[in-house]
Amino acid sequence: MAKGLTAEDLRTEPEDVLVAKLKEAKEELFNLRFQAATGQLESHGRLRTVKREIARIYTVMRERELGIVTVAEDAAEDNE
């Protein structure tokens, strides 16, 4: 998963890319939790980062669902 994932970057992505990134982040979180449980985790800060990335993806998806922000609006703002 890309580090430094921002909501602005996510808002420009199509829905299928968001779903793929969400799946990837959830798999990474599972692996990190498994490593933490077995004592093999070196970077506990990565757990927090991945959780926040998942929350950002869910937020962008929910904004689209509610019609707060759409991909077309973001593309128009970027062109200005």
Side-chain angles (χ1 to χ4, degrees):
M1 183 115 211
K3 292 185 180 181
L5 206 59
T6 64
E8 292 299 317
D9 294 337
L10 293 172
R11 286 188 183 110
T12 59
E13 298 289 344
E15 191 72 22
D16 57 337
V17 173
L18 286 179
V19 171
K21 286 186 179 187
L22 179 63
K23 183 179 181 213
E24 184 180 324
K26 283 186 169 188
E27 288 175 2
E28 183 178 358
L29 181 61
F30 173 80
N31 291 331
L32 290 171
R33 284 182 173 162
F34 194 88
Q35 289 175 3
T38 59
Q40 298 174 350
L41 185 63
E42 295 178 10
S43 174
H44 291 280
R46 186 68 184 144
L47 271 169
R48 183 178 185 184
T49 304
V50 173
K51 286 181 186 179
R52 287 183 176 192
E53 288 175 359
I54 291 171
R56 281 189 191 104
I57 294 169
Y58 274 131
T59 300
V60 170
M61 291 172 76
R62 184 68 175 153
E63 285 175 346
R64 290 183 185 174
E65 183 180 323
L66 295 175
I68 296 171
V69 176
T70 61
V71 178
E73 287 177 3
D74 289 332
E77 289 175 6
D78 291 341
N79 292 334
E80 291 178 358

Coordinates of all heavy atoms in Angstrom, one line a residue:
M1 N 0.8 -1.2 0.0 CA 0.0 0.0 0.0 C 0.9 1.2 0.0 O 1.9 1.3 0.7 CB -0.9 -0.1 1.2 CG -1.9 1.0 1.4 SD -3.5 0.3 1.3 CE -4.4 1.6 0.6
A2 N 0.5 2.2 -0.8 CA 1.3 3.4 -0.9 C 1.3 4.2 0.4 O 0.2 4.3 1.1 CB 0.7 4.3 -2.0
K3 N 2.4 4.7 0.8 CA 2.5 5.5 2.0 C 2.1 6.9 1.7 O 2.2 7.4 0.6 CB 3.9 5.5 2.6 CG 4.3 4.1 3.1 CD 5.7 4.1 3.7 CE 6.0 2.7 4.2 NZ 7.3 2.7 4.9
G4 N 1.5 7.6 2.7 CA 1.1 9.0 2.5 C -0.2 9.1 1.7 O -0.4 10.0 1.0
L5 N -1.1 8.1 1.8 CA -2.3 8.1 1.1 C -3.2 9.2 1.7 O -3.5 9.2 2.9 CB -3.0 6.7 1.3 CG -4.0 6.3 0.3 CD1 -3.3 6.2 -1.1 CD2 -4.5 4.9 0.6
T6 N -3.7 10.1 0.8 CA -4.5 11.2 1.3 C -5.9 11.1 0.7 O -6.1 10.4 -0.3 CB -3.9 12.6 0.9 OG1 -4.0 12.7 -0.5 CG2 -2.5 12.8 1.4
A7 N -6.9 11.8 1.4 CA -8.2 11.7 0.9 C -8.4 12.4 -0.4 O -9.2 11.9 -1.3 CB -9.1 12.4 2.0
E8 N -7.6 13.4 -0.7 CA -7.6 14.1 -2.0 C -7.2 13.1 -3.1 O -7.8 13.1 -4.2 CB -6.7 15.3 -2.0 CG -7.2 16.4 -1.1 CD -8.5 16.9 -1.6 OE1 -8.8 17.1 -2.8 OE2 -9.4 17.1 -0.7
D9 N -6.2 12.3 -2.9 CA -5.8 11.3 -3.8 C -6.8 10.3 -4.1 O -7.1 9.8 -5.2 CB -4.5 10.6 -3.4 CG -3.3 11.5 -3.3 OD1 -3.3 12.6 -4.0 OD2 -2.3 11.2 -2.6
L10 N -7.5 9.8 -3.0 CA -8.5 8.8 -3.1 C -9.7 9.3 -3.8 O -10.4 8.5 -4.5 CB -8.9 8.3 -1.7 CG -7.8 7.6 -0.9 CD1 -8.2 7.3 0.5 CD2 -7.5 6.2 -1.6
R11 N -10.1 10.6 -3.6 CA -11.3 11.1 -4.3 C -11.2 11.1 -5.8 O -12.2 11.1 -6.5 CB -11.6 12.5 -3.8 CG -12.1 12.5 -2.4 CD -12.5 13.9 -1.9 NE -13.0 13.8 -0.5 CZ -12.3 14.4 0.5 NH1 -11.2 15.0 0.3 NH2 -12.8 14.3 1.7
T12 N -10.0 11.1 -6.3 CA -9.8 11.1 -7.8 C -9.8 9.7 -8.4 O -9.9 9.5 -9.6 CB -8.6 11.8 -8.2 OG1 -7.4 11.1 -7.6 CG2 -8.6 13.3 -7.8
E13 N -9.8 8.7 -7.5 CA -9.7 7.3 -8.0 C -11.1 6.8 -8.3 O -12.1 7.1 -7.6 CB -9.1 6.4 -6.9 CG -7.7 6.8 -6.5 CD -6.7 6.4 -7.6 OE1 -7.0 5.6 -8.5 OE2 -5.6 7.0 -7.6
P14 N -11.3 5.9 -9.3 CA -12.6 5.3 -9.5 C -12.9 4.3 -8.5 O -12.1 3.8 -7.7 CB -12.4 4.6 -10.9 CG -10.9 4.6 -11.2 CD -10.3 5.6 -10.3
E15 N -14.2 3.9 -8.4 CA -14.7 3.0 -7.4 C -13.9 1.7 -7.3 O -13.6 1.2 -6.2 CB -16.2 2.8 -7.6 CG -16.9 2.1 -6.4 CD -17.0 3.0 -5.2 OE1 -17.0 4.2 -5.4 OE2 -17.2 2.5 -4.1
D16 N -13.7 1.1 -8.4 CA -13.0 -0.2 -8.4 C -11.6 -0.2 -7.9 O -11.1 -1.1 -7.2 CB -13.0 -0.9 -9.8 CG -12.4 0.0 -10.9 OD1 -12.3 1.2 -10.7 OD2 -11.9 -0.5 -11.9
V17 N -10.9 0.9 -8.1 CA -9.6 1.1 -7.5 C -9.7 1.3 -6.0 O -8.8 0.7 -5.3 CB -8.9 2.3 -8.1 CG1 -7.5 2.6 -7.5 CG2 -8.7 2.1 -9.6
L18 N -10.7 2.0 -5.5 CA -10.9 2.1 -4.1 C -11.1 0.8 -3.4 O -10.6 0.5 -2.3 CB -12.0 3.1 -3.8 CG -11.8 4.6 -4.0 CD1 -13.1 5.3 -3.7 CD2 -10.7 5.1 -3.2
V19 N -11.9 0.0 -4.0 CA -12.2 -1.4 -3.5 C -11.0 -2.2 -3.4 O -10.7 -2.9 -2.5 CB -13.4 -2.0 -4.3 CG1 -13.5 -3.5 -3.9 CG2 -14.7 -1.3 -4.2
A20 N -10.2 -2.1 -4.5 CA -8.9 -2.9 -4.5 C -7.9 -2.4 -3.4 O -7.3 -3.2 -2.7 CB -8.2 -2.7 -5.9
K21 N -7.9 -1.1 -3.2 CA -7.0 -0.5 -2.2 C -7.5 -0.9 -0.8 O -6.7 -1.2 0.1 CB -6.9 1.0 -2.3 CG -6.0 1.4 -3.5 CD -5.8 2.9 -3.5 CE -4.9 3.3 -4.6 NZ -4.6 4.7 -4.6
L22 N -8.8 -0.9 -0.6 CA -9.4 -1.3 0.7 C -9.0 -2.8 1.0 O -8.6 -3.1 2.1 CB -10.9 -1.1 0.6 CG -11.7 -1.5 1.9 CD1 -11.2 -0.6 3.1 CD2 -13.2 -1.3 1.7
K23 N -9.2 -3.6 0.0 CA -8.9 -5.1 0.2 C -7.4 -5.2 0.5 O -7.1 -6.0 1.5 CB -9.2 -5.8 -1.1 CG -9.0 -7.3 -0.9 CD -9.4 -8.1 -2.2 CE -9.2 -9.5 -2.0 NZ -8.8 -10.2 -3.1
E24 N -6.6 -4.5 -0.2 CA -5.1 -4.6 0.1 C -4.8 -4.1 1.5 O -4.0 -4.8 2.2 CB -4.4 -3.8 -0.9 CG -2.9 -3.8 -0.9 CD -2.2 -3.0 -1.9 OE1 -2.8 -2.9 -3.0 OE2 -1.2 -2.4 -1.6
A25 N -5.4 -3.0 1.9 CA -5.1 -2.5 3.2 C -5.6 -3.4 4.3 O -5.0 -3.6 5.4 CB -5.8 -1.1 3.4
K26 N -6.8 -4.0 4.1 CA -7.3 -5.0 5.1 C -6.4 -6.2 5.2 O -6.2 -6.7 6.4 CB -8.8 -5.4 4.7 CG -9.8 -4.3 5.1 CD -11.2 -4.9 4.8 CE -12.2 -4.0 5.4 NZ -13.6 -4.6 5.3
E27 N -5.9 -6.7 4.1 CA -5.0 -7.8 4.2 C -3.7 -7.4 4.9 O -3.2 -8.2 5.7 CB -4.6 -8.3 2.8 CG -5.8 -9.0 2.1 CD -5.4 -9.3 0.6 OE1 -4.3 -9.1 0.2 OE2 -6.3 -9.9 0.0
E28 N -3.2 -6.2 4.7 CA -2.0 -5.8 5.4 C -2.3 -5.7 6.9 O -1.4 -6.1 7.7 CB -1.5 -4.5 4.8 CG -0.3 -4.0 5.5 CD 0.3 -2.7 4.9 OE1 -0.3 -2.1 3.9 OE2 1.3 -2.2 5.4
L29 N -3.4 -5.1 7.2 CA -3.8 -5.0 8.7 C -3.9 -6.4 9.3 O -3.4 -6.5 10.4 CB -5.1 -4.2 8.8 CG -5.6 -4.0 10.2 CD1 -4.6 -3.2 11.0 CD2 -7.0 -3.3 10.2
F30 N -4.5 -7.3 8.6 CA -4.5 -8.7 9.2 C -3.1 -9.2 9.4 O -2.9 -9.8 10.5 CB -5.3 -9.6 8.2 CG -5.3 -11.0 8.6 CD1 -6.1 -11.5 9.6 CD2 -4.4 -11.9 8.1 CE1 -6.1 -12.8 10.0 CE2 -4.3 -13.2 8.5 CZ -5.2 -13.7 9.4
N31 N -2.3 -9.1 8.5 CA -0.9 -9.6 8.6 C -0.1 -8.9 9.7 O 0.6 -9.5 10.5 CB -0.1 -9.4 7.3 CG -0.6 -10.4 6.2 OD1 -1.1 -11.4 6.5 ND2 -0.5 -9.9 5.0
L32 N -0.4 -7.6 9.9 CA 0.3 -6.8 10.9 C -0.2 -7.3 12.3 O 0.6 -7.4 13.3 CB 0.1 -5.3 10.8 CG 0.8 -4.7 9.6 CD1 0.4 -3.2 9.4 CD2 2.3 -4.7 9.8
R33 N -1.5 -7.5 12.4 CA -2.1 -7.9 13.7 C -1.6 -9.3 14.0 O -1.3 -9.7 15.2 CB -3.6 -8.0 13.6 CG -4.2 -6.6 13.7 CD -5.7 -6.7 13.7 NE -6.3 -5.4 14.0 CZ -7.6 -5.1 13.7 NH1 -8.3 -6.0 13.1 NH2 -8.0 -3.9 14.0
F34 N -1.4 -10.2 13.0 CA -0.9 -11.5 13.2 C 0.5 -11.4 13.7 O 0.9 -12.2 14.7 CB -1.0 -12.3 11.9 CG -0.8 -13.8 12.1 CD1 -1.9 -14.6 12.4 CD2 0.4 -14.4 12.0 CE1 -1.7 -16.0 12.6 CE2 0.6 -15.7 12.1 CZ -0.5 -16.5 12.4
Q35 N 1.3 -10.6 13.1 CA 2.7 -10.4 13.5 C 2.8 -9.9 15.0 O 3.7 -10.3 15.7 CB 3.5 -9.5 12.6 CG 3.7 -10.1 11.2 CD 4.4 -9.1 10.3 OE1 4.6 -7.9 10.6 NE2 4.6 -9.5 9.0
A36 N 1.9 -8.9 15.3 CA 1.9 -8.4 16.7 C 1.6 -9.5 17.7 O 2.1 -9.5 18.8 CB 0.9 -7.2 16.7
A37 N 0.6 -10.3 17.3 CA 0.2 -11.4 18.3 C 1.3 -12.4 18.5 O 1.4 -13.0 19.6 CB -1.0 -12.1 17.7
T38 N 2.1 -12.6 17.5 CA 3.2 -13.6 17.6 C 4.5 -13.0 18.0 O 5.5 -13.7 18.1 CB 3.4 -14.4 16.3 OG1 3.7 -13.4 15.2 CG2 2.2 -15.2 15.9
G39 N 4.5 -11.7 18.2 CA 5.7 -11.0 18.7 C 6.8 -10.7 17.6 O 7.9 -10.4 17.9
Q40 N 6.4 -10.8 16.4 CA 7.3 -10.6 15.2 C 7.2 -9.1 14.7 O 8.0 -8.8 13.8 CB 7.0 -11.6 14.1 CG 7.2 -13.0 14.6 CD 6.8 -14.0 13.5 OE1 6.2 -13.6 12.5 NE2 7.1 -15.2 13.7
L41 N 6.3 -8.3 15.2 CA 6.1 -7.0 14.6 C 7.2 -6.1 15.0 O 7.4 -5.9 16.2 CB 4.7 -6.5 15.0 CG 4.3 -5.1 14.4 CD1 4.2 -5.3 12.9 CD2 3.0 -4.7 15.0
E42 N 7.8 -5.4 14.1 CA 8.9 -4.5 14.4 C 8.4 -3.0 14.4 O 8.9 -2.2 15.2 CB 10.0 -4.6 13.3 CG 10.7 -5.9 13.3 CD 11.7 -6.0 12.2 OE1 12.0 -5.0 11.6 OE2 12.2 -7.1 12.0
S43 N 7.4 -2.7 13.6 CA 6.9 -1.3 13.6 C 5.4 -1.2 14.0 O 4.6 -1.5 13.1 CB 7.1 -0.7 12.1 OG 6.5 0.5 12.0
H44 N 5.2 -0.9 15.2 CA 3.8 -0.8 15.7 C 3.1 0.4 15.1 O 1.9 0.5 15.0 CB 3.8 -0.7 17.2 CG 4.2 -2.0 17.8 ND1 3.4 -3.1 17.9 CD2 5.4 -2.4 18.4 CE1 4.0 -4.1 18.5 NE2 5.2 -3.7 18.8
G45 N 3.9 1.4 14.7 CA 3.3 2.6 14.1 C 2.6 2.3 12.8 O 1.6 3.0 12.4
R46 N 3.0 1.3 12.1 CA 2.4 0.9 10.8 C 0.9 0.4 11.0 O 0.1 0.7 10.2 CB 3.2 -0.2 10.1 CG 2.7 -0.5 8.7 CD 2.9 0.6 7.8 NE 2.4 0.2 6.5 CZ 1.8 1.1 5.7 NH1 1.7 2.4 6.0 NH2 1.3 0.7 4.5
L47 N 0.6 -0.2 12.2 CA -0.7 -0.6 12.5 C -1.7 0.6 12.5 O -2.7 0.6 11.8 CB -0.8 -1.2 13.9 CG -0.6 -2.7 14.0 CD1 -0.4 -3.1 15.4 CD2 -1.7 -3.5 13.3
R48 N -1.2 1.7 13.1 CA -2.0 2.9 13.2 C -2.2 3.5 11.8 O -3.3 3.9 11.4 CB -1.3 3.9 14.1 CG -2.1 5.1 14.3 CD -1.3 6.0 15.3 NE -2.1 7.2 15.6 CZ -1.6 8.2 16.4 NH1 -0.4 8.1 16.9 NH2 -2.3 9.2 16.6
T49 N -1.2 3.5 11.0 CA -1.2 4.1 9.7 C -2.2 3.4 8.8 O -3.0 4.0 8.1 CB 0.2 4.1 9.1 OG1 1.1 4.8 9.9 CG2 0.2 4.7 7.7
V50 N -2.1 2.0 8.8 CA -3.0 1.2 8.0 C -4.5 1.4 8.4 O -5.4 1.5 7.5 CB -2.6 -0.3 8.0 CG1 -3.6 -1.1 7.3 CG2 -1.2 -0.4 7.4
K51 N -4.7 1.5 9.7 CA -6.1 1.7 10.2 C -6.6 3.0 9.7 O -7.8 3.1 9.3 CB -6.1 1.7 11.7 CG -6.0 0.3 12.3 CD -6.1 0.4 13.8 CE -5.9 -0.9 14.5 NZ -5.9 -0.7 16.0
R52 N -5.8 4.0 9.7 CA -6.2 5.3 9.2 C -6.5 5.3 7.7 O -7.4 6.0 7.2 CB -5.2 6.4 9.6 CG -5.2 6.7 11.0 CD -4.2 7.8 11.4 NE -4.4 8.1 12.8 CZ -3.8 9.2 13.4 NH1 -3.1 10.0 12.7 NH2 -4.0 9.4 14.7
E53 N -5.6 4.6 6.9 CA -5.8 4.5 5.5 C -7.2 3.8 5.2 O -7.9 4.3 4.3 CB -4.7 3.7 4.8 CG -3.4 4.5 4.8 CD -2.2 3.7 4.3 OE1 -2.4 2.5 3.9 OE2 -1.1 4.2 4.2
I54 N -7.5 2.8 5.9 CA -8.8 2.1 5.8 C -9.9 3.1 6.1 O -10.9 3.1 5.3 CB -8.9 0.8 6.7 CG1 -7.9 -0.2 6.2 CG2 -10.3 0.3 6.7 CD1 -7.7 -1.4 7.1
A55 N -9.8 3.8 7.1 CA -10.8 4.8 7.5 C -11.0 5.9 6.4 O -12.1 6.3 6.0 CB -10.5 5.5 8.8
R56 N -9.9 6.3 5.8 CA -10.0 7.3 4.7 C -10.7 6.7 3.5 O -11.5 7.4 2.9 CB -8.6 7.7 4.3 CG -8.0 8.7 5.2 CD -6.7 9.3 4.6 NE -6.0 10.0 5.7 CZ -4.9 9.6 6.3 NH1 -4.4 8.4 6.0 NH2 -4.4 10.3 7.3
I57 N -10.4 5.5 3.2 CA -11.1 4.9 2.0 C -12.6 4.7 2.3 O -13.4 5.1 1.4 CB -10.4 3.5 1.7 CG1 -9.0 3.7 1.3 CG2 -11.2 2.8 0.6 CD1 -8.2 2.4 1.2
Y58 N -12.9 4.3 3.5 CA -14.3 4.2 3.8 C -15.0 5.5 3.8 O -16.2 5.7 3.3 CB -14.5 3.6 5.2 CG -14.5 2.0 5.2 CD1 -13.8 1.3 6.1 CD2 -15.4 1.3 4.3 CE1 -13.8 -0.1 6.1 CE2 -15.4 0.0 4.3 CZ -14.6 -0.7 5.2 OH -14.6 -2.1 5.2
T59 N -14.3 6.6 4.2 CA -14.9 7.9 4.2 C -15.2 8.4 2.8 O -16.3 8.9 2.5 CB -14.0 8.9 4.9 OG1 -13.8 8.5 6.3 CG2 -14.5 10.3 4.9
V60 N -14.2 8.2 1.9 CA -14.4 8.6 0.5 C -15.6 7.9 -0.1 O -16.4 8.4 -0.8 CB -13.1 8.5 -0.3 CG1 -13.4 8.7 -1.8 CG2 -12.1 9.5 0.2
M61 N -15.6 6.6 0.1 CA -16.7 5.7 -0.4 C -18.1 6.2 0.1 O -19.0 6.3 -0.7 CB -16.5 4.3 -0.1 CG -15.3 3.7 -0.8 SD -14.8 2.0 -0.3 CE -16.1 1.1 -1.1
R62 N -18.1 6.5 1.4 CA -19.4 7.0 2.0 C -19.8 8.4 1.4 O -21.0 8.6 1.2 CB -19.3 7.0 3.5 CG -20.5 7.4 4.2 CD -21.6 6.4 4.1 NE -22.7 6.7 4.9 CZ -23.9 6.4 4.7 NH1 -24.2 5.6 3.7 NH2 -24.9 6.8 5.5
E63 N -18.8 9.2 1.2 CA -19.1 10.6 0.6 C -19.8 10.4 -0.8 O -20.7 11.1 -1.1 CB -17.8 11.4 0.5 CG -17.3 11.9 1.8 CD -16.0 12.6 1.6 OE1 -15.3 12.5 0.5 OE2 -15.5 13.3 2.5
R64 N -19.2 9.5 -1.5 CA -19.8 9.2 -2.9 C -21.2 8.6 -2.7 O -22.1 9.0 -3.5 CB -18.9 8.3 -3.7 CG -17.6 8.9 -4.1 CD -16.8 8.0 -4.9 NE -15.5 8.5 -5.2 CZ -14.6 7.9 -5.8 NH1 -14.7 6.7 -6.2 NH2 -13.4 8.5 -6.1
E65 N -21.4 7.7 -1.8 CA -22.7 7.1 -1.6 C -23.8 8.1 -1.2 O -24.9 8.1 -1.7 CB -22.6 6.0 -0.5 CG -23.8 5.3 -0.2 CD -23.6 4.2 0.9 OE1 -22.5 3.6 0.9 OE2 -24.6 4.0 1.6
L66 N -23.4 9.1 -0.4 CA -24.3 10.1 0.0 C -24.4 11.3 -1.0 O -25.3 12.1 -0.8 CB -23.9 10.7 1.4 CG -23.9 9.7 2.5 CD1 -23.4 10.3 3.8 CD2 -25.4 9.2 2.8
G67 N -23.6 11.3 -2.0 CA -23.6 12.3 -3.0 C -22.9 13.6 -2.5 O -23.1 14.7 -3.1
I68 N -22.2 13.6 -1.5 CA -21.5 14.7 -1.0 C -20.4 15.2 -2.0 O -20.2 16.3 -2.3 CB -20.9 14.5 0.4 CG1 -22.0 14.2 1.4 CG2 -20.0 15.6 0.9 CD1 -21.5 13.7 2.7
V69 N -19.6 14.2 -2.4 CA -18.5 14.4 -3.4 C -18.6 13.4 -4.4 O -18.8 12.2 -4.2 CB -17.1 14.4 -2.7 CG1 -16.0 14.5 -3.7 CG2 -17.0 15.4 -1.6
T70 N -18.4 13.8 -5.7 CA -18.4 12.8 -6.8 C -17.1 12.9 -7.5 O -16.4 13.9 -7.4 CB -19.6 13.1 -7.8 OG1 -19.4 14.4 -8.3 CG2 -20.9 13.0 -7.1
V71 N -16.8 11.9 -8.3 CA -15.5 11.9 -9.0 C -15.5 13.1 -10.1 O -14.5 13.7 -10.3 CB -15.3 10.6 -9.7 CG1 -14.0 10.6 -10.5 CG2 -15.2 9.5 -8.7
A72 N -16.7 13.3 -10.7 CA -16.8 14.4 -11.7 C -16.5 15.8 -11.1 O -15.8 16.6 -11.7 CB -18.1 14.4 -12.3
E73 N -17.0 16.0 -9.8 CA -16.7 17.3 -9.2 C -15.2 17.5 -8.9 O -14.7 18.6 -9.2 CB -17.5 17.4 -7.8 CG -18.9 17.5 -7.9 CD -19.6 17.5 -6.6 OE1 -18.9 17.4 -5.5 OE2 -20.8 17.6 -6.5
D74 N -14.6 16.5 -8.5 CA -13.1 16.6 -8.2 C -12.4 16.8 -9.5 O -11.4 17.6 -9.5 CB -12.6 15.3 -7.6 CG -13.1 15.2 -6.1 OD1 -13.3 16.3 -5.5 OD2 -13.2 14.1 -5.6
A75 N -12.7 16.2 -10.6 CA -12.0 16.4 -11.9 C -12.2 17.8 -12.4 O -11.3 18.4 -12.9 CB -12.6 15.4 -12.9
A76 N -13.4 18.4 -12.2 CA -13.7 19.8 -12.6 C -12.9 20.7 -11.7 O -12.3 21.7 -12.3 CB -15.2 20.1 -12.4
E77 N -12.7 20.5 -10.4 CA -11.9 21.3 -9.6 C -10.5 21.3 -9.9 O -9.8 22.3 -9.9 CB -12.1 20.9 -8.1 CG -13.5 21.3 -7.6 CD -13.7 20.7 -6.2 OE1 -12.8 20.2 -5.6 OE2 -14.8 20.9 -5.7
D78 N -10.0 20.1 -10.3 CA -8.6 20.0 -10.7 C -8.2 20.7 -12.0 O -7.1 21.2 -12.1 CB -8.2 18.5 -10.9 CG -8.2 17.8 -9.5 OD1 -8.2 18.4 -8.5 OD2 -8.3 16.5 -9.5
N79 N -9.2 20.8 -12.9 CA -9.0 21.5 -14.1 C -9.0 23.0 -14.0 O -8.5 23.7 -14.9 CB -10.0 21.1 -15.2 CG -9.8 19.6 -15.6 OD1 -8.7 19.1 -15.5 ND2 -10.9 19.0 -16.0
E80 N -9.5 23.6 -13.0 CA -9.6 25.0 -12.8 C -8.3 25.6 -12.4 O -7.4 25.1 -12.0 CB -10.7 25.4 -11.7 CG -12.0 25.0 -12.2 CD -13.1 25.3 -11.2 OE1 -12.7 25.8 -10.0 OE2 -14.3 25.1 -11.4

